């Protein structure tokens, strides 16, 4: 079995080209991704595979021109010149020395081939591609790289190979790079000869006139050397990969058992940088985050290259100066420290080679990104709407003509197809400009949707090919415009640095598009391949039965991980989150129930709650946003209830650890509990476990702090009342003792009350703006904590006190007469009025804030909630009555004749009329005045009667009915609203709790201790055991599913036969007995009818039984 494909990854150099044509195609750094070879199981689009079939190969070789005896003799002669025989093929990788005549022949022959095919690089590459697929028929179906991308890779591969032959050292390095990217392919001399023959045949058929003398022998010599090096690298570098894998497994295993961050690879690298005096740069931190992925992919060149491309894009967008050589000594120092016993020169060589390979890929990719990014942006700036519309229409026409079967997958409307084309264009642009994480999330989501669609990855290559071909036509047409030509010129500095011509910018725009769209295609194909798990497929079909089947063979220790983690490259996707987001709520419910089911063997219990919060910390928020109906299912899974009772009580365990303590230890309380409280649903918050958690937090932690805070507020209120209502009475002013007490009281108001409010709001406002916890309000970013509740009234009270100090008589009259005074010339009547109004407002604000102490009791809190909701209706009613009063005031003011007939002046002016109507509405107007009006002005009386009917008969009665409706609407959920109010108080109170006190509280709960299910049955940690009335939640079966047999965690769970199945079997026995009785009664004639009538029920019952088993 032999495989070979000559494709290459090209490094960017400023060296003068080896032939006369000044190609500015950046061949040495272009299409790194497109030059790969891979096996069928790999899904990178930049890989090409040649299937191993020796018999087919012999037939292919025999069909080529090189199959003649003369060609074989020439091949043997070229091999002899290299001292390469079938015995020593691939045994070494020495330097290849070529004569000057051979170098000239290589360059001239390739130049003539390029000229013969019109000077088009893509055409030459396509001809090489066609020659190989014709000569080696078995290769054609295995080429998964888009032909448009691979064609240029083939052209560049042969061109740069000839260029590097001038320098033996560079040639060996380049061939070594190519060989590494073809690791895993079995290379033999026979297969190498076949590939060489196909290329030489192409050259002989297309070059017009004679080839330069010795050119065929020179090419055969060069390509034979390349094939021998491929074989040598394949057999030699395998040992290095084994060493690297063993070392990394040792480091990863040690990190799992040692929680000290300094003993991990990342921590040791940071320590090594400190020892060396190096400062940790941002790009190093980013590299360390994906270093494990890079090490894992070192044996998969295509995947490694893809990850390096993505990493380089992210680094280029965030960092300017990157020196990858700085990381090598840090890495080696960390490895020596972590592997002191096994480290040797063999390990040193292997890891040096690993970093050389990674850094080389990163340097090449970074160079590409820097070169292509601006031209990619310029491409989308240059193309207009007309060109984009042409792309949207033409791409599918070209695609369908190439791949007829694709029409079965693209049945959408034209508008939908145009949208897909726009996404293709946008992805090419975003690949250069979006952050890696955001882009990978988008592509991963898109790829996972394709998993559900069942789209074959074979369609990506021709689709990408069509995209490049259509874009090439567009760029060619646009570049003909003189104005566009000027905008496409490359500046002199770039030309000098890259060796480009001024007209090469259009080529760079095409290559940038080709590279980015190829990278997008590879990411999508890998996502589809790696994400096509049975779990993801069942999620995309939203089928609970398929999901259950997909878990039957899962290892019991890894069962939860399959539902919570699918690794696609360096990105991890949660199938549960995807099920929630994609609307597959049936599958999501099954997943939640499966993970929150307690299973047990004789050795251990298995419960997925820790895995859920560890791998998906925001699971509660995701559920409440995407599928709130599943919140009850989730919360039910956090409760274990015994099926046994004692003295009318049932033991219950609430697994509340993750509802109390967050997985992030720097936070005080759980984000899951915050999500439930912020969700503001009275039914959800009354779930037993949430009520229990809030009661625990309130009783043991928040109640005392809340009560002390409100007591301090009440003391401030009392002092405020003394200073503004009792000690400032006129009969007390003039009494020295009373005035002194008043002065002390007001100073306490501004020191104890105001300064406390000022400090608290300053801290909260600073925290809100620092964390960007704000909301837009009238073009202003307002801290979110001020959007409602007691905090808003507290802030208004603080502003009110500032205004009070501005007109405070104590401050204005201080020192006027050398003593404390409250009246002076500086404090005029306007200030006195303003001060009185501010005092009145302050009293009401203080009363509202103090009323919040009702949260100390659920009953008081319920009444407070009821009053708060009713207050809205009262305010609306008052507003409506005010509007009616204003309208009637205008109407009465227009009746000047009637007003002059009255004996009083209540309706002679607009202001007096309004006052009278308000008095009449609230019932404080003297009815004798109304009686007098009846005799003096009947018309005015009619207007007043109409006003009273509207106010009393309509609005006030409507208010009563509204209040009744509010009460009836709240009656069922009044406790839930009260619990939500208490939850808000708990969250606000816990913000001020010191971390030390919080940790002491969590420790006192004993959540790290295992809780017994029953006497002698030691259960799981993270719960609190309590008792509830036996009839509150009846349970007839044990909620723990227990299994016997082998207890190996790597084994799957045996198929579970639940009690429901037993009940169903009993029902089937009863059903069969009834059927037999009916058959005897009805006789043979009625048998068929009886059986047919009962078949549906039997089927339905069986289905329901199977569904119960699945759940």
């Amino acid at each position: 079995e032999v495989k070979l494909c000559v494709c290459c990854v090209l490094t960017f150099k400023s060296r003068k080209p080896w032939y006369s044509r000044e190609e500015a195609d950046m061949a040495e750094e272009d299409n790194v991704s497109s030059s790969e070879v891979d096996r069928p199981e790999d899904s990178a689009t930049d890989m090409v595979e040649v299937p191993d079939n020796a018999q087919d190969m012999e037939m292919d070789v025999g069909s080529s021109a090189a199959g003649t005896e003369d060609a074989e003799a020439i091949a043997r002669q070229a091999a002899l010149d290299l001292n390469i025989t079938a015995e020593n093929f691939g045994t070494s990788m020495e330097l290849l020395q070529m004569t000057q005549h051979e170098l000239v022949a290589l360059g001239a022959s390739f130049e003539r081939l390029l000229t013969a095919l019109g000077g088009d690089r893509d055409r030459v590459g396509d001809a090489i591609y066609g020659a190989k697929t014709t000569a080696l028929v078995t290769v054609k179906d295995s080429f998964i790289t888009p032909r448009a991308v691979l064609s240029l890779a083939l052209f560049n591969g042969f061109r740069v190979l000839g260029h590097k032959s001038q320098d033996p050292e560079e040639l060996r390095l380049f061939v070594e790079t190519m060989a590494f990217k073809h690791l895993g392919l079995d290379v033999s001399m026979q297969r190498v000869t076949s590939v060489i023959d196909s290329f030489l045949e192409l050259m002989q058929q297309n070059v017009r006139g004679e080839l330069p003398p010795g050119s065929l022998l020179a090419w055969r010599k060069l390509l034979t050397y390349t094939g021998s090096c491929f074989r040598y690298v394949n057999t030699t570098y395998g040992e290095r990969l084994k060493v690297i894998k063993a070392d990394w497994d040792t480091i990863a295993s040690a990190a799992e058992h040692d929680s000290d961050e300094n003993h991990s690879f990342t921590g040791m690298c940071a320590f090594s940088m400190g020892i060396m005096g190096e400062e940790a740069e941002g790009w190093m931190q980013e590299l360390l985050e994906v270093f494990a992925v890079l090490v894992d992919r070192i044996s998969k060149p295509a995947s490694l290259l893809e990850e390096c491309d993505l990493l380089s894009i992210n680094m280029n967008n965030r960092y300017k100066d990157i020196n990858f050589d700085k990381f090598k000594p840090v890495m080696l120092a960390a490895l020596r420290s972590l592997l002191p016993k096994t480290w040797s020169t063999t390990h040193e060589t292997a890891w040096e080679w690993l970093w050389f390979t990674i850094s080389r890929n990163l340097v090449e990719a970074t160079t590409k990104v820097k070169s292509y990014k601006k031209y990619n942006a310029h491409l989308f700036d240059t193309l207009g709407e007309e060109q984009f519309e042409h792309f949207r229409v033409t791409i599918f026409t070209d695609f369908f003509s190439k791949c007829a079967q694709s029409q079965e997958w693209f049945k959408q409307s034209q508008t939908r197809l145009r949208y897909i084309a726009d996404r293709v264009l946008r992805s090419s642009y975003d690949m250069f400009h979006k952050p890696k994480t955001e882009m990978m999330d988008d592509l991963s989501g898109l790829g996972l949707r394709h998993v559900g669609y069942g789209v074959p990855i074979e369609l990506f290559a021709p689709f990408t090919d069509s995209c490049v071909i259509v874009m090439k036509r567009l760029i060619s047409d646009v570049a003909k415009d003189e104005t566009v030509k000027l905008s496409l010129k490359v500046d002199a500095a770039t030309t000098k640095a890259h060796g480009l011509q001024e007209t090469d910018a259009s080529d760079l725009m095409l290559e940038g598009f080709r590279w980015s769209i190829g990278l997008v295609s590879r990411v999508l194909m890998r996502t589809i391949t790696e994400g096509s798990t049975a779990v993801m497929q069942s999620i995309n079909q939203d089928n609970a039965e398929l999901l259950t089947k997909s878990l039957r063979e899962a290892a019991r220790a890894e069962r939860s991980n399959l539902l919570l983690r699918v690794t696609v490259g360096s990105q991890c996707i949660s199938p549960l989150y995807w099920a929630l987001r994609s609307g597959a709520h049936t599958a999501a419910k099954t997943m939640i129930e499966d993970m929150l089911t307690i299973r047990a063997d004789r050795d251990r219990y298995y419960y997925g709650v820790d895995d859920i919060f560890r791998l998906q910390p925001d699971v509660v928020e995701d559920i409440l946003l995407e599928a709130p109906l599943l919140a009850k299912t989730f919360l039910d899974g956090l409760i274990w209830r015994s099926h046994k009772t004692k003295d009318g009580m049932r033991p219950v365990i609430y697994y509340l650890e993750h509802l109390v303590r967050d997985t992030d230890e720097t936070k005080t309380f759980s984000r899951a509990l915050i999500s439930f409280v912020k969700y503001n649903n009275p039914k959800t918050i009354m779930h037993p476990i949430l009520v229990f958690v809030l009661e625990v937090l309130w009783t043991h932690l928040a109640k005392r702090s809340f009560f002390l805070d409100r007591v301090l507020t009440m003391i401030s209120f009392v002092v405020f009342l003394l200073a503004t209502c009792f000690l400032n009475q006129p009969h007390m002013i003039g009494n020295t003792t009373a005035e002194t007490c008043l002065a002390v009281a007001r100073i306490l108001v501004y020191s104890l009350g105001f300064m406390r409010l000022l400090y608290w709001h300053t801290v909260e406002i600073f925290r809100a703006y620092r964390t960007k916890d704000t909301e837009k309000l009238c073009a202003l970013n307002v801290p979110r904590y001020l959007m409602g509740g007691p905090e808003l009234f507290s802030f208004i009270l603080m502003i009110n006190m500032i205004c009070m100090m501005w007109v405070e008589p104590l401050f204005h009259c201080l020192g006027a007469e050398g003593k404390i005074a409250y009246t002076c010339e500086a404090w005029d009547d306007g200030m006195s009025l303003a001060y009185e109004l501010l005092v009145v407002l302050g009293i009401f604000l203080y009363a509202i804030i103090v009323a919040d102490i009702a949260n100390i009791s659920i009953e008081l809190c319920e009444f407070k909630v009821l009053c708060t909701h009713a207050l809205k209706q009262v305010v609306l009613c008052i507003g409506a009555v005010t509007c009616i009063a204003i309208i009637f005031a205008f109407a009465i003011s227009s009746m000047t004749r009637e007003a002059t007939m009255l004996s009083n002046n209540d309706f002679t002016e607009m202001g007096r009329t309004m006052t009278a109507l308000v008095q009449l509405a609230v019932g404080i107007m003297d009815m004798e005045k109304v009686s007098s009006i009846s005799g003096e002005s009947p018309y005015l009386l009619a207007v007043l009667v109409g006003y009273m009917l509207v106010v009393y008969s309509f609005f006030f009665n409507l208010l009563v009915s509204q209040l009744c409706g509010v009460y009836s609407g709240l009656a069922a959920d009044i406790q839930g609203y009260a619990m939500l109010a208490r939850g808000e108080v708990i969250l606000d109170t816990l913000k001020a709790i010191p971390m030390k006190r919080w940790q002491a509280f969590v420790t006192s709960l004993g959540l790290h201790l295992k809780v017994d299910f029953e006497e002698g049955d030691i259960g799981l940690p993270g719960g609190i055991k309590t008792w509830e009335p036996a009839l509150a939640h009846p349970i007839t079966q044990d909620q723990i599913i227990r299994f016997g047999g082998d207890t190996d965690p790597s084994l799957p769970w045996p198929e579970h036969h639940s009690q429901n199945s037993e009940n169903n079997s009993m029902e089937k026995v009863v059903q069969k007995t009834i059927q037999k009785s009916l058959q005897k009664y009805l006789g043979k004639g009625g048998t068929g009818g009886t059986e047919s009538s009962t078949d549906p029920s039997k089927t339905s019952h069986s289905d329901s039984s199977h569904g119960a088993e699945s759940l």
Side-chain angles (χ1 to χ4, degrees), residues 956-972:
F956 285 175
N957 285 331
L958 180 62
L959 175 61
V960 173
S961 63
Q962 287 289 90
L963 293 178
C964 293
V966 168
Y967 179 78
S968 60
L970 291 175

Side-chain angles (χ1 to χ4, degrees), residues 225-335:
Y225 169 78
T226 302
S228 178
C229 293
F230 272 34
R231 176 64 175 267
Y232 174 79
V233 169
N234 269 272
T235 57
T236 304
Y237 286 6
E239 295 300 322
R240 295 182 180 179
L241 295 176
K242 292 179 181 178
V243 171
I244 293 171
K245 185 178 185 305
D247 289 348
W248 194 253
D249 289 344
T250 302
I251 294 173
S253 177
E256 290 180 0
H257 295 86
D258 191 347
S259 58
D260 189 353
E261 180 65 23
N262 293 327
H263 294 169
S264 65
F265 178 76
T266 303
M268 192 57 69
C269 284
F271 178 76
S272 300
M273 283 187 281
I275 295 296
M276 296 177 182
E278 295 283 348
E279 184 178 353
E281 300 182 24
W283 65 267
M284 284 191 184
Q285 300 295 336
E286 195 162 335
L287 176 62
L288 286 172
E289 291 178 2
V290 298
F291 192 75
V293 178
L294 297 176
V295 173
D296 180 65
R297 294 187 174 194
I298 192 63
S299 60
K300 301 175 182 178
S303 300
L304 175 66
L305 199 55
E306 179 188 315
E307 190 63 33
C308 289
D309 288 345
L310 295 171
L311 183 60
S312 64
I313 293 175
N314 213 38
M315 288 182 173
N316 184 73
N317 291 337
R318 300 176 61 182
Y319 312 106
K320 294 183 179 179
D321 299 323
I322 302 177
N323 184 4
F324 292 109
D325 292 336
K326 290 183 178 181
F327 185 74
K328 178 181 176 180
V330 174
M331 178 195 72
L332 292 177
L335 290 170

Side-chain angles (χ1 to χ4, degrees), residues 519-808:
L519 182 57
V520 170
S521 178
R522 284 161 25 220
V523 172
L524 288 175
M525 292 178 68
R526 177 177 52 81
T527 302
I528 293 173
T529 302
E530 296 180 1
S532 294
T533 63
V535 172
M536 290 302 302
Q537 292 175 357
S538 61
I539 289 173
N540 282 285
Q541 297 183 38
D542 196 15
N543 191 313
E545 184 178 351
L546 288 178
L547 180 62
T548 304
K549 288 181 179 179
S550 68
L551 295 173
R552 286 179 180 173
E553 300 302 322
R556 57 188 68 179
E558 297 295 326
R559 191 179 181 99
S560 297
N561 290 337
L562 293 177
L563 300 175
L564 294 169
R565 182 63 59 93
V566 171
T567 302
V568 181
S570 60
Q571 301 294 311
C572 294
I573 302 170
S574 169
L576 175 59
Y577 174 74
W578 180 250
L580 294 170
R581 185 179 178 184
S582 61
H585 295 167
T586 302
K589 181 178 180 181
T590 305
M591 296 167 73
I592 293 172
E593 290 177 339
D594 185 89
M595 288 185 288
L596 295 181
T597 297
I598 302 177
R599 297 178 177 86
D601 53 32
R602 290 188 300 273
D603 286 347
R604 58 185 65 85
Y605 285 96
Y606 294 87
Y607 188 37
V609 63
D610 291 336
D611 294 331
I612 291 176
F613 283 96
R614 176 175 56 86
L615 299 177
Q616 194 173 338
D618 297 321
V619 60
V620 171
E621 182 179 359
D622 297 335
I623 290 175
L624 293 177
L625 287 177
E626 306 293 347
L629 294 179
L630 297 182
K632 184 179 183 302
T633 302
F634 180 82
L635 293 172
D636 287 342
L638 301 179
I639 303 175
W640 173 84
R641 291 186 173 92
S642 175
H643 62 289
K644 301 176 182 179
T645 61
K646 182 179 180 181
D647 299 331
M649 302 296 288
R650 185 187 308 279
V652 181
I653 300 178
Y654 294 111
Y655 290 98
L656 48 74
E657 178 179 7
H658 298 289
L659 295 178
V660 175
R661 179 171 55 191
D662 197 88
T663 52
D664 185 355
E665 296 181 356
T666 61
K667 297 182 179 181
T668 52
F669 46 93
S670 169
R671 72 190 83 173
L673 183 62
I674 296 175
S675 299
F676 279 120
V677 175
K678 298 296 184 183
Y679 183 54
N680 204 32
N681 187 297
K683 296 186 182 297
T684 302
I685 203 67
M686 287 304 295
H687 193 278
I689 190 171
L690 293 179
V691 173
F692 185 80
V693 170
L694 291 176
E695 189 63 30
V696 169
L697 291 173
W698 175 255
T699 304
H700 296 89
L701 197 63
K703 184 177 181 179
R704 177 170 169 267
S705 299
F706 172 78
F707 183 73
L708 292 177
D709 180 76
R710 291 303 178 266
V711 167
L712 189 57
T713 303
M714 291 181 67
I715 293 174
S716 301
F717 186 28
V718 171
V719 174
F720 186 85
L721 292 176
L722 289 173
T724 57
C725 301
F726 296 99
L727 298 177
N728 66 336
Q729 296 301 316
H731 67 273
M732 301 183 69
I733 299 300
N735 186 324
T736 306
T737 304
E739 288 182 348
T740 304
C741 292
L742 179 59
V744 171
R746 293 196 175 182
I747 291 173
L748 287 176
V749 166
Y750 299 125
S751 60
L752 178 63
F754 171 72
M755 294 305 296
R756 176 168 166 266
L757 292 174
L758 180 63
Y759 170 78
W760 188 83
H761 283 286
T762 302
V763 172
E764 290 298 321
I765 291 174
F766 174 76
R767 182 184 301 166
Y769 282 111
R770 185 185 62 182
T771 59
K772 297 183 180 180
D773 187 20
T774 59
E775 288 188 8
K776 207 77 171 179
L777 183 64
C778 299
L780 296 176
N781 289 323
V782 179
R784 187 172 283 109
Y785 85 96
L786 291 177
M787 302 308 294
E791 293 82 6
L792 175 60
F793 295 106
S794 175
F795 183 78
I796 296 174
L797 178 60
M798 182 185 71
I799 302 300
N800 183 76
M801 285 190 174
I802 294 176
C803 298
M804 285 178 62
M805 286 190 289
W806 188 261
V807 293
E808 172 60 49

